[in-house]
Amino acid sequence: MPNEARVAMTPDSAMQLQKLGYECVIETGAGKAAGFDDKAYKDAGVSVVKTAAALWKAADVIVKVRPPDDTELKRFHKGQTLISFFNPGANEAGMKALSAHGTNVIAMEMVPRISRAQKMDALSSMANIAGYRAVIEAGNNFGRFFTGQITAAGKVPPAKVLVVGAGVAGLAAIGTATSLGAITYAFDVRPEVAEQVESMGAEFVFLDFKEEQKDGAETGGYASVSSPEFHEAQLAKFRELAPEVDIVITTALIPNREAPELWTKDMVEAMKPGSVIVDLAAEKGGNCKLTVMDEKIITKNGVTIIGYTDFPSRMAAQASTLYATNIRHMLTDLTPEKDGKINHDMEDDVIRGSTVAYKGKITFPPPPPKTQAIATQPKKETPKELTREEKLAQEAAAFKVQTRNQVTLLAVGGALLLGVGLVAPASFMQHFIVFVLAIFVGFQVIWGVSHSLHTPLMAVTNAISSIIILGALMQIGSGSFLVILLAALSIFMAGINIFGGFMVTRRMLAMFQKS
């Protein structure tokens, strides 16, 4: 196909497939555009045939990138297996033709988004590349730096990038734009992705509009369709942002649907001259009203709109490597015995979900997987913000509770001391009362130490050591040599503990200093 440079098998993946018991065949020149020549395949033990017709005749399993065209559909025969992107939602004629031939079809875009199937998720692999390449393409058409600079020739402001849609492609674009130094904003209809966006250094754009979104488990990990009211609030927010941003990257797509229109003509007209829009949804109609599929246009007000649909092919070597690995993992699941024979287990969630035609029957759409894509998260209630009067009332109530507890403890302690005093001799009680008071005072002193200068553990350790030193100083003037020796040792060891604690604290603080 025009502009398609990817290939579904690389020399490395071919060697892995041979370990599964398969013999590998490739059409001559198939990997050339991706940087893999025929010699590399031959060195990996792959047979190279001259024509596609010869390939179809020789192979039991056909692996492709794009859906088969009309000519290719006629070449399939009963018992063959096709593994490829297939677009089953808009390719009913292709499904009927292949099911009539008795060909089994596995559509790579139908791989369910569950943890076990991540290694086969070709959509995510390609979306990751598309998101990265979209930022590179935007930078190639943007007339300034991404990062801000202060030079002798003047100050350069950083570029402002807005990424619409925080799926795999969106997150890849966010990561790339942020790493290049741009101020990055991101929007998604799923507010739960805000943490992911912020963890990558971007700012999540929130709407003052609350709408219950379906859980990701119900929609295969994708965003659900929004209400008209939410859509209008979304457009209003974008109109507000349009004059400020320099680069817009739109990635919003829902499987088997046309792309929603999110960036309207008036938003384009509100953007600054030299701004860039990269529309990753161009193949399904585009998120931008003015996008032209597979073309780059410049509007009257100087905004560049890029509608290329071949972003993964613009990094063909990387895209082919990832896609071939996805294919290899799919074949690994299909060949559990590693004997080169397909075991098409329709009880397996991943295989059943990906299969769109099997043994002469159309099996699309598949049933929902038994294992859900994303576990349903319990709704977190937003804590109510208290007024000043309510905060004061809470503090007063907490103080009363603490006071009541302390008075109760003192009363119980006093009663216990009185009980002991009724039976114990006076000499014992004199020392016992000092011991109890020392514990009480020591506890209050130690837990009252501020942790602002060092760690809580070090603060408590130093406070305990200080109490030890005070006790030892009181005993240093004793008439007994043994008591003096023990007091001196106590001061020495507690002193080492205190000074050592502050040295460790200083080292810890130095870890956070640039100089």
Side-chain angles (χ1 to χ4, degrees), residues 462-492:
N462 283 352
I464 293 171
S465 299
S466 302
I467 293 292
I468 292 169
I469 286 177
L470 287 174
L473 286 172
M474 290 177 67
Q475 298 297 325
I476 200 88
S478 172
S480 169
F481 174 76
L482 181 60
V483 172
I484 294 171
L485 179 62
L486 290 174
L489 284 172
S490 299
I491 293 169
F492 176 70

Side-chain angles (χ1 to χ4, degrees), residues 416-418 420-422 424-434:
L416 287 172
L417 281 175
L418 184 62
V420 173
L422 291 174
S427 59
F428 171 80
M429 285 304 299
Q430 183 181 356
H431 292 292
F432 185 66
I433 290 170
V434 172

Side-chain angles (χ1 to χ4, degrees), residues 92-112:
E92 190 176 351
M95 281 192 293
K96 285 181 177 178
L98 291 180
S99 62
H101 286 313
T103 303
N104 301 327
V105 182
I106 291 177
M108 290 304 288
E109 63 265 70
M110 294 302 298
V111 171

Side-chain angles (χ1 to χ4, degrees), residues 310-321:
D310 61 342
F311 285 106
S313 279
R314 289 169 182 257
M315 300 181 71
Q318 183 68 75
S320 298
T321 300

Side-chain angles (χ1 to χ4, degrees), residues 152-351:
K155 185 180 178 182
V156 179
K160 291 184 178 180
V161 177
L162 172 65
V163 179
V164 181
V168 177
L171 291 173
I174 290 165
T176 308
T178 304
S179 65
L180 288 172
I183 297 172
T184 311
Y185 304 95
F187 174 83
D188 197 283
V189 296
R190 300 162 296 175
E192 65 267 21
V193 302
E195 288 182 7
Q196 298 175 42
V197 167
E198 288 165 359
S199 71
M200 299 183 77
E203 182 181 332
F204 191 79
V205 177
F206 288 96
L207 288 185
D208 293 328
F209 187 99
K210 290 189 178 179
E211 178 176 80
E212 288 293 321
Q213 284 285 317
K214 283 186 180 179
D215 188 77
E218 299 175 45
T219 55
Y222 295 94
S224 57
V225 180
S226 304
S227 68
E229 294 79 13
F230 184 89
H231 186 62
E232 285 303 315
Q234 186 178 345
L235 294 183
K237 189 66 178 179
F238 291 161
R239 286 190 182 96
E240 182 185 322
L241 292 170
E244 299 177 22
V245 294
D246 301 299
I247 295 169
V248 177
I249 297 171
T250 63
T251 71
L253 268 179
I254 297 172
N256 302 316
R257 289 179 178 270
E258 288 298 300
E261 186 185 312
L262 301 176
W263 208 260
T264 57
K265 184 180 177 183
D266 62 301
M267 294 177 198
V268 176
E269 290 169 350
M271 294 178 75
K272 294 173 287 202
S275 300
V276 180
I277 299 171
V278 182
D279 194 341
L280 291 180
E283 198 166 3
K284 293 291 182 72
N287 295 137
C288 177
K289 178 69 174 176
L290 303 181
T291 298
V292 179
M293 193 169 97
D294 288 322
E295 289 186 24
K296 178 178 78 175
I297 64 168
I298 300 175
T299 63
K300 290 179 181 178
N301 62 322
V303 177
T304 302
I305 303 175
I306 299 170
Y308 300 150
T309 59
D310 61 342
F311 285 106
S313 279
R314 289 169 182 257
M315 300 181 71
Q318 183 68 75
S320 298
T321 300
L322 293 180
Y323 182 64
T325 302
N326 296 142
I327 293 280
R328 192 252 299 173
H329 283 302
M330 176 61 76
L331 281 165
T332 301
D333 268 29
L334 287 164
T335 322
E337 301 299 323
K338 298 184 179 180
D339 55 358
K341 294 178 182 177
I342 293 282
N343 177 16
H344 207 118
D345 182 9
M346 292 294 273
E347 295 299 314
D348 185 290
D349 263 359
V350 178
I351 295 170

